[in-house]
Amino acid sequence: MLVAFITGITGQDGSFLAELLLEKNYHVWGMVRKSTTNTRMINIEHLLDNTNLKLRCGDMTDSSSMTNILREIKETYPNIEKLDVYNLAAVSHVAISFEIPQQTTSVNALGVLSLLDAIRFSGYKDKIRFYQASTSELYGDVQDTSKAQDETTPYNPQSPYAIAKLYANDLTLLYRKGYNMHNTIGLLNNHISYRRSPLFLDSKVCKGVADIYHGKMDKLYLGNVNSYRDFGYAKDYVKAMYLIMQYPTPEHWIISSQKTYQVREFVEKAFKIKGFNIQWKGEGIDEIGYDTNTGRELIFIDPSLFRPADVNFLLGDSSRARELLGWEEEYTIDQVIEEMVEYHCTH
Ligand code: NAP
Ligand code: G4F
């Protein structure tokens, strides 16, 4: 019997991972927040009829909910040989983490402590494998931009989000060592899809292109367009999570596309899908992106979107994961951006 428990199942990654595991005949248990059951189940609506999917209400800030779910799984499969727990739940928006730093810490740091303790005291911890969703945001203010970030690059987090994720990383490693738990870590670079909230840059830009193309909007306002991100497709990245969990020993893996693009370049790529040819003029907060075909000024800088601190250069070295896990991506970033723009044109 293949059984998995996913926190954050309603999110971008959780929904793709649930699909992947259901295809592999797993029984998938997902933790969903009570408030979300009334509002935002869109990412997993198409899976709700699957009898191998079981949803339970819970919250990372409510330790008893996780204890109860682990107990119910044990009661449902008394002879369970292995349970894979993927911890994907988080306050995942970096800018928002500056607005709600305490909640971010409760969910992304202390929530992980609660989940690890729920596993530790579950009575079947030796049958459980744990995956912690870590992030390239840990690298933060990268000092050496001449090379990609690898296992030796120091962490220098720049947000309440990244600081909470660093605590979770260290705790996951401590519990692996101290309590002999099979705790794995996937340090993933930015991965995106049409399922991502338009609060993130990638979806905001792709939706912006669609809205401008359809005449629903005439300008797009952005913050820092100078930072670099290493973008991949969420569907490819959940396959890496699965492979990490299958690896015989619990380890820490970097997953990335090994290519980096400035936010400005991402914007140009997205607008190009609908025939806009973006060039830039002006500097700093007066910088404007315009379409050379028509001269229309389309992208403006809104300083209120700047963060108190930003991460300026992310480029991941995933060579170890590619070699030892055999992971590789199926989709190029251009394919993903095209899919996202077309999705927003039709939804
Ligand atoms: P996402 O779409 O924002 O999903 C986050 C999930 O966490 C949602 O299901 C959300 O539930 C849930 N959640 C939030 N607060 C919760 C709480 N208090 N209790 C229980 N669940 C809660 O994020 P994602 O892009 O799928 O990312 C998945 C994980 O990978 C996150 O931990 C993120 O930090 C990490 N990560 C993401 C990336 C990336 O580029 N996508 C890169 C590195 C690491 P609701 O639907 O109820 O809000
Ligand atoms: O899309 P973003 O908000 O993603 P960010 O901060 O890189 O975080 C994402 O990736 C992390 C992995 O590296 C994850 F851990 C995290 O959960 C999340 O998935 O911003 C990307 C860049 C930033 O430099 C931001 O300042 O785009 C810049 N930006 C410019 N204008 C904007 C905007 N970001 C957003 N969200 N909205 C803007 O209008």
Side-chain angles (χ1 to χ4, degrees):
M1 176 68 65
L2 298 168
V3 190
F5 169 35
I6 304 175
T7 71
I9 194 167
T10 53
Q12 169 188 259
D13 292 4
S15 62
F16 282 123
L17 181 65
E19 273 170 20
L20 178 76
L21 296 177
L22 289 167
E23 275 163 25
K24 291 182 184 294
N25 288 322
Y26 272 76
H27 285 207
V28 174
W29 293 64
M31 187 170 84
V32 184
R33 287 196 283 180
K34 168 73 184 70
S35 53
T36 302
T37 57
N38 298 330
T39 54
R40 213 183 62 88
M41 298 282 278
I42 186 166
N43 284 342
I44 57 168
E45 253 161 27
H46 61 296
L47 301 176
L48 295 180
D49 289 340
N50 191 315
T51 50
N52 284 346
L53 176 67
K54 305 205 183 323
L55 299 180
R56 292 293 177 269
C57 278
D59 198 296
M60 294 303 288
T61 58
D62 178 349
S63 59
S64 43
S65 60
M66 293 177 276
T67 303
N68 286 337
I69 295 170
L70 288 174
R71 185 190 306 125
E72 193 185 342
I73 292 174
K74 177 97 192 319
E75 284 167 4
T76 308
Y77 317 98
N79 300 319
I80 191 166
E81 283 173 10
K82 184 163 96 67
L83 170 67
D84 293 344
V85 177
Y86 293 88
N87 181 36
L88 308 185
V91 173
S92 69
H93 198 286
V94 175
I96 290 174
S97 80
F98 285 97
E99 294 170 35
I100 48 167
Q102 288 187 15
Q103 195 191 334
T104 303
T105 307
S106 299
V107 177
N108 298 9
L110 296 179
V112 183
L113 173 62
S114 299
L115 180 52
L116 286 169
D117 271 341
I119 294 171
R120 178 155 79 102
F121 297 118
S122 64
Y124 62 120
K125 89 168 166 53
D126 294 338
K127 298 185 172 162
I128 297 179
R129 291 185 172 200
F130 176 77
Y131 173 91
Q132 170 58 18
S134 188
T135 166
S136 46
E137 282 287 308
L138 297 193
Y139 294 123
D141 189 10
V142 173
Q143 299 298 305
D144 183 358
T145 56
S146 68
K147 64 181 187 70
Q149 292 103 38
D150 63 16
E151 287 77 8
T152 64
T153 308
Y155 296 143
N156 193 359
Q158 295 295 305
S159 62
Y161 168 81
I163 290 169
K165 284 281 185 179
L166 182 53
Y167 171 94
N169 236 56
D170 286 347
L171 197 76
T172 302
L173 294 175
L174 178 71
Y175 273 43
R176 181 205 287 170
K177 186 176 166 194
Y179 303 117
N180 198 23
M181 292 167 71
H182 191 109
N183 289 352
T184 70
I185 295 177
L187 191 156
L188 273 50
N189 278 261
N190 294 54
H191 45 282
I192 64 177
S193 74
Y194 59 90
R195 289 197 186 158
R196 203 142 139 92
S197 148
L199 288 172
F200 294 94
L201 172 88
D202 47 275
S203 285
K204 178 175 173 178
V205 170
C206 293
K207 185 173 184 319
V209 172
D211 288 350
I212 288 174
Y213 180 72
H214 287 301
K216 292 189 206 159
M217 193 170 98
D218 57 3
K219 291 184 186 79
L220 179 65
Y221 288 94
L222 295 177
N224 177 12
V225 292
N226 294 312
S227 59
Y228 287 81
R229 289 293 182 273
D230 176 329
F231 292 103
Y233 190 22
K235 231 178 185 174
D236 282 329
Y237 282 44
V238 299
K239 287 184 189 157
M241 296 178 190
Y242 172 76
L243 292 172
I244 288 170
M245 282 293 240
Q246 310 318 307
Y247 199 73
T249 48
E251 298 195 16
H252 173 283
W253 304 89
I254 297 169
I255 305 296
S256 68
S257 76
Q258 313 204 108
K259 296 185 189 73
T260 193
Y261 297 97
Q262 209 171 23
V263 166
R264 207 184 264 106
E265 291 173 87
F266 187 98
V267 171
E268 291 162 16
K269 281 176 179 293
F271 273 87
K272 200 163 188 181
I273 303 290
K274 285 292 167 197
F276 299 97
N277 185 37
I278 299 298
Q279 285 199 6
W280 304 85
K281 62 185 180 187
E283 277 180 25
I285 60 170
D286 296 322
E287 187 166 0
I288 292 172
Y290 65 99
D291 177 18
T292 59
N293 299 319
T294 59
R296 269 179 78 190
E297 295 182 344
L298 296 173
I299 302 126
F300 291 79
I301 304 300
D302 174 355
S304 74
L305 295 169
F306 293 160
R307 298 172 184 183
D310 206 346
V311 169
N312 288 319
F313 182 77
L314 290 179
L315 168 61
D317 177 348
S318 47
S319 46
R320 190 168 161 274
R322 288 168 190 274
E323 189 189 329
L324 297 179
L325 298 176
W327 175 78
E328 59 185 2
E329 57 275 88
E330 271 180 49
Y331 298 86
T332 65
I333 192 59
D334 290 310
Q335 288 172 313
V336 183
I337 294 175
E338 181 167 1
E339 186 183 63
M340 289 173 70
V341 170
E342 296 302 347
Y343 173 87
H344 287 294
C345 279
T346 51
H347 286 78

